[in-house]
Amino acid sequence: DSLSTVHIMQNSEMESMLADLNDISAGMQSLRDAERLLTLETINENKANSKSKQQLNQLKKDVQAITEAIASYKEQISKLEGKNKSQSAEFKRLIAGLNAELDQRTQKLNEITQQLAVKTEEVANLTENVEALDKANKSQQMTINEQDMAIHQGHYLIGNRKELKEAEVISRQGIFCPPIVSSQAQKANFTDLDIREMKVIPLNSKKAKLLSVHPADSYTLETGEDGNMTLKINDENNFWKQTKYLVVMIG
């Protein structure tokens, strides 16, 4: 009976160890498949050079998961070695084979980790270059916009004789001479406009006269139903050709 009991215990122990070995072998196959996919991902990433930071981080997580799995299998193998006191030649061969393959998996993961480190640095440099280029483009575009605005910017001032005189916008050459635009006019509080867009300027007065120099055929002064006049610019290029400062006297 005692021998029978010992035999049963030995068989049970052996079956348990075989089950553990089968689990480890199945896990090793999963590691092989995962590593193969991971290697393909890394190769494709190197060729395409289009992986984002998020994708690279996911690859790093996959490598970490496989690394942890390898460590877990090594721990299980170590426990199996401790349980099997006799350690037959076949058992030793199986354990040696598993350990050798785990070492190969570890070495391959180290190579993939190095590839990912290089690619992460490349992506970081590329991101930095793109951000610098984007900043330069924005700065250049801002400069172009400012230059464009300056080229197409006009200024106008509307007021009666008293207001224009107090603002030192107009002056007189003599008692009987009409008022003209002063050389100091640009210092006054003009309103800015885009000459490409501002084609109609309400004057809110029944009388109006342009004091600044603009070709007569480039504009018209029209009277609305309420009797107030409106300046209509028909040819903006010709109208603003001689001066970008429009002075209109009303009243």
Side-chain angles (χ1 to χ4, degrees):
D1 291 341
S2 298
L3 289 174
S4 177
T5 301
V6 170
H7 181 68
I8 292 172
M9 291 177 63
Q10 287 177 340
N11 286 340
S12 176
E13 183 180 354
M14 182 59 67
E15 288 177 0
S16 175
M17 285 191 296
L18 288 174
D20 290 340
L21 285 172
N22 287 334
D23 290 342
I24 294 174
S25 296
M28 292 290 286
Q29 183 59 47
S30 298
L31 282 182
R32 295 186 197 103
D33 295 338
E35 182 190 292
R36 182 177 60 82
L37 293 174
L38 187 60
T39 304
L40 289 175
E41 283 286 331
T42 307
I43 292 174
N44 291 334
E45 189 273 335
N46 286 330
K47 288 182 179 179
N49 195 26
S50 61
K51 290 289 182 184
S52 65
K53 289 182 179 179
Q54 183 177 358
Q55 289 171 308
L56 285 173
N57 288 335
Q58 183 58 51
L59 286 175
K60 291 178 183 178
K61 289 180 181 179
D62 293 341
V63 169
Q64 180 62 30
I66 295 176
T67 301
E68 292 174 358
I70 289 175
S72 174
Y73 291 138
K74 283 187 175 182
E75 183 179 354
Q76 291 183 51
I77 291 172
S78 178
K79 288 180 180 179
L80 284 177
E81 289 180 300
K83 288 181 180 179
N84 190 354
K85 306 300 182 181
S86 60
Q87 294 196 3
S88 65
E90 180 65 18
F91 179 81
K92 290 180 179 180
R93 186 184 66 78
L94 288 173
I95 294 299
L98 290 173
N99 281 326
E101 185 169 358
L102 286 174
D103 290 340
Q104 291 178 359
R105 303 276 78 78
T106 300
Q107 182 179 355
K108 189 64 179 179
L109 283 179
N110 290 337
E111 293 174 1
I112 294 174
T113 300
Q114 291 176 2
Q115 292 178 3
L116 289 176
V118 171
K119 188 53 59 178
T120 299
E121 184 176 358
E122 290 178 0
V123 170
N125 291 337
L126 179 61
T127 301
E128 185 178 348
N129 292 337
V130 169
E131 290 176 351
L133 182 60
D134 183 60
K135 185 177 180 180
N137 288 338
K138 287 181 179 179
S139 177
Q140 184 179 21
Q141 187 60 48
M142 185 178 297
T143 301
I144 292 173
N145 292 340
E146 291 174 353
Q147 292 175 345
D148 183 71
M149 183 179 295
I151 292 173
H152 297 96
Q153 189 176 62
H155 318 272
Y156 72 94
L157 183 62
I158 302 172
N160 57 38
R161 183 187 296 267
K162 181 180 178 182
E163 291 169 341
L164 296 179
K165 187 176 181 180
E166 289 177 351
E168 297 183 352
V169 174
I170 60 174
S171 61
R172 298 182 64 131
Q173 299 296 322
I175 297 177
F176 300 102
C177 296
I180 61 173
V181 178
S182 169
S183 59
Q184 304 296 316
Q186 295 183 14
K187 297 179 181 180
N189 189 24
F190 280 80
T191 300
D192 298 330
L193 58 84
D194 189 327
I195 64 177
R196 297 166 297 183
E197 299 178 0
M198 196 77 164
K199 304 294 181 65
V200 177
I201 302 177
L203 303 178
N204 299 317
S205 175
K206 293 180 171 54
K207 294 182 180 181
K209 180 181 179 180
L210 272 65
L211 300 183
S212 49
V213 181
H214 304 275
D217 60 351
S218 65
Y219 70 94
T220 54
L221 288 170
E222 300 179 353
T223 302
E225 295 180 358
D226 58 357
N228 288 328
M229 302 193 74
T230 297
L231 171 62
K232 183 178 180 181
I233 301 173
N234 303 316
D235 183 353
E236 67 270 16
N237 292 327
N238 194 24
F239 182 84
W240 298 101
K241 186 176 182 180
Q242 297 186 53
T243 179
K244 292 291 183 65
Y245 287 84
L246 167 64
V247 178
V248 182
M249 185 172 67
I250 60 175

